[in-house]
Amino acid sequence: MGDLQQELKDLLAFVFFLGLVPAGLRHVWLLCCVSPFLLGTAVCSQKPQLGDAQLATNNPTLTTVSLEKPFCMFDSSLYPNRSYTIYLYVMKESASAMSSLVTDDSNKPLGSTFQQTSRGQLRPYNAAFFDVPDCAVPPRLADVRSFVHASYVLKQYLFRVGDDGTCLYDPNFLGVCNPPLAPDTTYRFKYVLVDNSEGMVKDQTLWSDPIKTRRAKLPMKIDTCVLVFLLLTGFLASVQSFSDTK
Amino acid sequence: MAKTENGVRIFQGLLILGNVVIGMCGIALTAECIYFVSDPHGLYPLLEATENDDIYAAAWIGIFVGFALLALSILGIVGVIKSNRTLLLVYIILMLITFAFEMASCITAATHRDFLTPNLFLKQMLEKYQKPEAGNNNDKWMSEGVTKTWDKLMLQNQCCGVNGPSDWQEYTSAFRTTYSDADFPWPHNCCVLDSQGHPINLDGCKLGVHGFFKSNGCYAAISGPMNRQAWGVAWFGFAILCWTVSSSSCSPAS
């Protein structure tokens, strides 16, 4: 189907469930393709999103980006009694559109790692894989207030890209690596649904909007000059020398 | 005859009273300056690292000026009672010298208040906090002082950074060269800690979830005591000086 048709369906879907879903759940369920207009499509029109800014205020940081896990994004593609895994791919925005494929010819997910793709410069790399989040029971974000449940809720709700730097320093490490991202760089992310038994890609989200990591300024650039102090330095020096002679 | 004698006696009484007030002010000034020099908030290492601790010099001068005022007030009382011209002349000269010292101290304290801006402490914190082995001993001493002071500040005042924890994300720092952003977006003491000194939730602290990290800046906790010190030394000193001037100008007339 054409882009324009897709856009129209997105808009209608958005308007449709915006009215139905109560405000409290909206920020989790906004990812869901609940609209009947979109049932049966191969590509869900939602994309990976940054974690709720009210909850995770330090996001993105210099070298990490915390994304919401794909709740209910792939529900239309899941069959009962089959196990699935979600793969997360990371790519620098500067990589060309030609190389943004995450599957090979036989529709199997590419296993490219951080090192192989030159830190996401050449092609997307696989940063992590995890189980499909349970759509029926999304994490209650209000539970984060409780110190006991906070870790569980955060782990269920968010995935932190760039969390683990140790795999870079281990020369024997050959697996999937999620090392820190580069500061002041724009990245894009994608979730891919893979069937465990066949090893084939069943569904994938669109590439996320470009997300830029923070930039750090040099402390030398901080201006500590104070006009009043400069004006009175001369006067003070003379007074001090008078005191010192005593 | 009796009237003028009475008048003189009243005048002498007033002068003695004036000197008693100066003496008591001298004691108060000494006490106030000793309190500041004792550094109850433990902020002296921060001033030392700015390499401009003149506020402390002003406080030290205040201590000695206080003693001098006490001694001079006694001299003044003796001089008024004995009506000895020489004593009063010595009194005036020494009072002028003390006046000059106290003036220097007050001006130093008052102007240095403007020197202590948030940016000054921000730059110092970023460059010196947790600085790995520095070059010379003096550098190392200052870095250690700054690190210890900031750790204590963040712990006691439940604050982080000068303007807030975002200081650590907006600027590069000596801290950042040792600790990666993924593991420590900000220092360990910026997390809300339990009684054993462990963060109550490390993931929450790293992500900036409210309740697990300290979102206030520490500038208020630094500038508050320092400003009070500067104002205390400066304005109390000026008040004493005014009183001294007014009472000294009356004494030659006796």
Side-chain angles (χ1 to χ4, degrees):
Chain A
M1 75 208 89
D3 268 333
L4 194 61
Q5 257 186 314
Q6 187 66 37
E7 294 263 312
L8 192 62
K9 285 190 178 181
D10 290 349
L11 184 63
L12 285 167
F14 185 74
V15 170
F16 179 76
F17 68 74
L18 206 60
L20 285 185
V21 177
L25 295 171
R26 211 164 283 161
H27 60 282
V28 175
W29 286 74
L30 214 49
L31 308 170
C32 300
C33 309
V34 183
S35 163
F37 297 101
L38 290 166
L39 283 175
T41 56
V43 177
C44 180
S45 63
Q46 295 301 325
K47 340 174 191 180
Q49 306 280 345
L50 268 182
D52 183 15
Q54 300 280 341
L55 177 72
T57 56
N58 188 29
N59 189 23
T61 70
L62 290 167
T63 56
T64 67
V65 172
S66 290
L67 300 169
E68 283 185 349
K69 282 195 177 171
F71 282 90
C72 314
M73 274 194 196
F74 300 116
D75 264 23
S76 51
S77 312
L78 294 176
Y79 287 96
N81 301 328
R82 299 190 78 130
S83 67
Y84 297 89
T85 307
I86 291 187
Y87 283 41
L88 169 66
Y89 283 89
V90 181
M91 172 178 78
K92 278 193 190 173
E93 201 193 20
S94 52
S96 70
M98 289 291 288
S99 57
S100 67
L101 293 171
V102 296
T103 57
D104 58 15
D105 295 330
S106 56
N107 214 27
K108 291 219 161 93
L110 286 176
S112 23
T113 64
F114 182 81
Q115 286 95 331
Q116 286 171 351
T117 62
S118 188
R119 298 160 180 263
Q121 183 79 45
L122 306 170
R123 304 186 293 284
Y125 68 92
N126 181 13
F129 46 82
F130 44 84
D131 294 330
V132 180
D134 190 356
C135 179
V137 190
R140 296 188 326 158
L141 297 186
D143 276 352
V144 150
R145 302 263 172 263
S146 143
F147 300 157
V148 174
H149 298 300
S151 276
Y152 175 77
V153 169
L154 289 171
K155 283 214 156 33
Q156 290 292 97
Y157 174 58
L158 292 172
F159 179 79
R160 198 164 181 238
V161 184
D163 213 10
D164 177 23
T166 53
C167 54
L168 277 181
Y169 303 111
D170 182 357
N172 294 327
F173 192 89
L174 297 169
V176 163
C177 199
N178 181 22
L181 306 169
D184 196 26
T185 314
T186 318
Y187 287 90
R188 303 186 76 165
F189 307 91
K190 180 193 268 259
Y191 288 121
V192 170
L193 184 74
V194 175
D195 184 315
N196 288 343
S197 43
E198 294 168 26
M200 309 255 284
V201 170
K202 291 295 172 196
D203 205 350
Q204 51 182 290
T205 65
L206 295 174
W207 283 102
S208 71
D209 292 330
I211 295 171
K212 196 166 187 183
T213 49
R214 290 186 82 138
R215 187 174 76 96
K217 295 179 271 197
L218 289 172
M220 287 181 281
K221 299 258 170 80
I222 299 172
D223 180 23
T224 58
C225 179
V226 177
L227 203 60
V228 175
F229 175 72
L230 282 178
L231 285 172
L232 283 166
T233 304
F235 177 71
L236 279 175
S238 55
V239 169
Q240 291 270 355
S241 61
F242 172 73
S243 321
D244 282 339
T245 54
K246 289 291 171 184
Chain B
M1 219 34 177
K3 269 193 187 162
T4 49
E5 214 179 275
N6 268 344
V8 166
R9 284 223 180 273
I10 290 169
F11 197 67
Q12 278 185 328
L14 282 173
L15 278 179
I16 288 171
L17 183 68
N19 276 304
V20 165
V21 171
I22 288 174
M24 292 201 296
C25 286
I27 294 172
L29 184 67
T30 303
E32 185 198 29
C33 291
I34 287 177
Y35 172 72
F36 287 133
V37 166
S38 70
D39 194 21
H41 297 276
L43 294 172
Y44 182 67
L46 293 185
L47 273 186
E48 199 183 15
T50 66
E51 290 174 7
N52 198 325
D53 52 0
D54 284 343
I55 282 191
Y56 275 83
W60 276 108
I61 292 173
I63 292 175
F64 293 111
V65 164
F67 273 126
L69 284 175
L70 179 66
L72 280 176
S73 68
I74 294 169
L75 183 70
I77 290 170
V78 166
V80 166
I81 290 171
K82 294 226 173 123
S83 295
N84 187 332
R85 266 227 115 80
T86 324
L87 265 180
L88 285 173
L89 208 62
V90 168
Y91 169 81
I92 287 170
I93 291 170
L94 288 178
M95 207 36 127
L96 277 174
I97 293 169
T98 312
F99 188 96
F101 270 91
E102 183 58 17
M103 188 65 112
S105 160
C106 294
I107 292 174
T108 307
T111 54
H112 272 70
R113 210 183 126 258
D114 291 331
F115 178 66
L116 302 176
T117 58
N119 276 354
L120 178 76
F121 291 112
L122 176 65
K123 197 164 170 189
Q124 183 193 81
M125 177 185 81
L126 293 169
E127 287 176 352
K128 295 201 161 65
Y129 180 78
Q130 299 270 17
K131 191 172 175 183
E133 288 302 311
N136 54 44
N137 270 337
N138 192 34
D139 239 3
K140 194 164 143 231
W141 169 259
M142 287 202 292
S143 299
E144 275 176 22
V146 168
T147 304
K148 279 205 194 96
T149 308
W150 270 102
D151 283 337
K152 197 165 63 87
L153 259 178
M154 292 196 282
L155 209 55
Q156 287 178 348
N157 296 293
Q158 304 299 318
C159 60
C160 177
V162 173
N163 303 308
S166 55
D167 288 341
W168 297 104
Q169 287 286 307
E170 277 178 33
Y171 295 95
T172 60
S173 51
F175 173 77
R176 186 62 62 223
T177 59
T178 324
Y179 297 92
S180 75
D181 170 69
D183 295 325
F184 290 93
W186 33 61
H188 174 260
N189 279 13
C190 284
C191 296
V192 176
L193 303 173
D194 61 18
S195 49
Q196 271 98 37
H198 302 303
I200 53 175
N201 190 306
L202 192 57
D203 290 326
C205 180
K206 285 187 200 175
L207 287 169
V209 179
H210 287 297
F212 299 112
F213 77 115
K214 296 163 187 170
S215 46
N216 299 324
C218 296
Y219 181 64
I222 298 171
S223 68
M226 282 193 190
N227 280 342
R228 277 196 292 278
Q229 172 170 335
W231 281 105
V233 170
W235 292 110
F236 190 55
F238 275 132
I240 294 174
L241 288 175
C242 290
W243 181 263
T244 311
V245 163
S246 56
S247 64
S248 298
S249 61
C250 293
S251 54
S254 72

